[in-house]
Amino acid sequence: MKTASLVTASTPWYREPWPWLLMIAPGAAVIGGAVTIWLAVTHADPLVVDNYYKEGLAINQALERDREAQRAGYRAQMMFSQDGTRVRVHLTGGTSLPASLRLRLVHPTRADFDAEAVLTSTQAGWYEGAMRLGHAPRWAVHLEGENRAWRLSGEWRPGDGAETQLQPRA
């Protein structure tokens, strides 16, 4: 009597679906890790300060400029044009008003979006200048005298309107 033998046809592993399904999760993790490493290497982190001591000294100088603006009684109202290319400032207080002002708009997270303009006096207490702004929901605003002895600070949200008030920080 003859015995029947079972012969199964075997296919190579790479033609089966199960190994490929099991490799999807580890493969995605490897790709995600490679992308993360590439982002970390190619993009600088401008928020990290290397020299903490110098940064602390600069903060103390900025606080002194705020106190000087408070002693002089400076206040300002800043107005932007609708297209954001012109800025006008009305400065009050102080014993004598400067011939020009320095205006800096600081982006909350991207230093390359920061903008700076020199505003010249158009009439007593009124200053005007050109400025090109990027897009941001919020800007930190710093207005300084021409000799940088005092500083007014504030925040401007373009969505809330084209005007903002600047005053010395307490």
Side-chain angles (χ1 to χ4, degrees), residues 73-80 87-94 97-98 101 103 119-129 141 143 150 152 162-167:
Y74 285 120
R75 300 276 186 270
Q77 181 179 6
M78 185 178 70
M79 298 154 271
F80 280 95
V87 62
R88 192 167 190 201
V89 172
H90 182 238
L91 181 67
T92 58
L97 297 177
L101 299 174
L103 177 67
L119 309 178
T120 55
S121 179
T122 56
Q123 56 185 341
W126 288 93
Y127 299 85
E128 195 169 331
V141 181
L143 183 69
W150 56 268
L152 299 177
E163 296 185 17
T164 189
Q165 300 290 325
L166 302 177
Q167 56 191 6

Side-chain angles (χ1 to χ4, degrees), residues 96-145:
S96 65
L97 297 177
S100 65
L101 299 174
R102 181 174 171 238
L103 177 67
R104 288 186 321 120
L105 272 75
V106 180
H107 191 275
T109 58
R110 306 245 340 241
D112 54 328
F113 282 6
D114 292 357
E116 187 172 322
V118 174
L119 309 178
T120 55
S121 179
T122 56
Q123 56 185 341
W126 288 93
Y127 299 85
E128 195 169 331
M131 178 170 267
R132 176 172 228 113
L133 291 177
H135 297 288
R138 177 175 55 91
W139 292 94
V141 181
H142 302 288
L143 183 69
E144 302 169 329

